[in-house]
Amino acid sequence: QVQLVESGGGSVQAGGSLRLTCAVSGGTVRSYYLGWFRQAPGEEREGVAAISIGGGSTYYGASVKGRFTISQDIAKNTLYLQMNSLKPEDTAMYYCAATRRYSGSWYYVPRYNSWGQGTQVTVSS
């Protein structure tokens, strides 16, 4: 089945930028509804951003709108999350996820049936 591998996490100061990468194998990125989620210790996993099948629409959580951008590179079969103006509140483990279904809300975790292992993002003040 489709495999997802995140990379690009690290430690940055507040106001800095990071670009997360999700390498997709076992299927073409344009055939999946793709999302980025994050989870801090002791908290629930929350939706960060998503892109619809074929890349026609994008969605963002209120706390990251205007700062983060989700995109995909069909030629490289890769999903990206560009994160700018990072805040300490953005500190979390970030995961990419995929589903071939087009039903349900983009931020609904059980909708996604393929997940990566996660990449840690730490933002210091």
Side-chain angles (χ1 to χ4, degrees):
Q1 198 195 350
V2 63
Q3 287 186 301
L4 309 173
V5 180
E6 304 95 334
S7 63
S11 298
V12 298
Q13 294 185 346
S17 298
L18 281 175
R19 186 182 71 170
L20 305 185
T21 296
C22 177
V24 179
S25 60
T28 176
V29 68
R30 66 184 301 175
S31 296
Y32 292 86
Y33 203 105
L34 301 164
W36 285 99
F37 293 78
R38 66 187 183 187
Q39 187 169 25
E43 300 183 5
E44 293 186 328
R45 189 166 298 187
E46 66 171 340
V48 176
I51 185 167
S52 64
I53 297 174
S57 301
T58 57
Y59 308 90
Y60 297 93
S63 64
V64 306
K65 192 181 295 291
R67 299 189 297 122
F68 292 8
T69 303
I70 187 171
S71 63
Q72 59 188 19
D73 188 324
I74 297 175
K76 296 181 178 180
N77 210 36
T78 301
L79 176 73
Y80 299 100
L81 182 68
Q82 179 65 47
M83 306 186 294
N84 298 326
S85 302
L86 284 163
K87 305 175 181 179
E89 306 92 275
D90 296 318
T91 296
M93 184 72 74
Y94 283 71
Y95 303 87
C96 59
T99 181
R100 304 192 83 168
R101 290 162 40 85
Y102 192 68
S103 60
S105 300
W106 70 267
Y107 51 80
Y108 189 52
V109 171
R111 175 185 177 184
Y112 298 85
N113 50 23
S114 297
W115 293 83
Q117 294 300 305
T119 184
Q120 178 67 41
V121 172
T122 302
V123 185
S124 62
S125 59

